[in-house]
Amino acid sequence: MKNVLATIVGFIAASLTVYVFESLIGHNLFPLPEGANPMDMEWIKNNMDQIPTGAKVMVVIGHFMGIVVGMFVAGLISKTSMVPAYIVGGLMLAATIFNIAMLPKELWFSISDILLAIAGLLLGKSLAKRQLRV
């Protein structure tokens, strides 16, 4: 039961981290153009060129940090298994890949997003593993 809780809480922590970096920090530091609706996928698809580069960078950082934080939290709660951390990391990586596939982006964005997501998995694994009781 503890591993189920670790997975759920880890995923929630990962999602909140992505939200903080993308929306709270990214949209405040790099405001979207007048009339933008970040919740409307069609608007984003049609206006990707109007989104500030800084906001896109914050999305990449958010995906990286979300994976790291989520895996760490899952490991912190579980303390006995890496499975919850792997599930959280896998779900967040899948979400990152889905995001890349669904929205037209510049090549630099797609490459950096996937590379940092993989780096996040490696760092998250290391941090989660340190939480295990041997």
Side-chain angles (χ1 to χ4, degrees):
M1 189 65 181
K2 192 174 187 181
N3 287 335
V4 172
L5 179 67
T7 304
I8 292 169
V9 174
F11 185 73
I12 291 169
S15 300
L16 286 173
T17 301
V18 171
Y19 173 77
V20 166
F21 277 91
E22 280 187 26
S23 298
L24 298 183
I25 298 172
H27 292 171
N28 283 316
L29 290 177
F30 309 99
L32 296 176
E34 189 77 27
N37 183 0
M39 302 310 283
D40 180 3
M41 290 298 272
E42 280 305 311
W43 184 92
I44 294 172
K45 281 182 185 179
N46 296 328
N47 297 287
M48 203 59 161
D49 59 324
Q50 295 181 34
I51 297 174
T53 301
K56 293 174 187 175
V57 169
M58 293 308 293
V59 168
V60 172
I61 293 170
H63 291 170
F64 168 78
M65 290 301 297
I67 292 171
V68 172
V69 169
M71 291 181 76
F72 172 74
V73 169
L76 190 64
I77 294 170
S78 173
K79 298 217 184 285
T80 59
S81 173
M82 284 295 293
V83 172
Y86 289 144
I87 292 171
V88 170
L91 288 172
M92 294 306 291
L93 179 62
T96 300
I97 292 168
F98 179 77
N99 183 290
I100 291 169
M102 292 304 294
L103 297 173
K105 296 183 177 78
E106 297 95 338
L107 184 60
W108 71 264
F109 183 99
S110 298
I111 291 172
S112 61
D113 204 13
I114 196 69
L115 289 178
L116 277 175
I118 292 168
L121 281 172
L122 297 173
L123 180 58
K125 176 185 173 185
S126 174
L127 292 174
K129 200 173 254 188
R130 291 182 190 174
Q131 306 311 308
L132 297 181
R133 286 189 224 130
V134 181

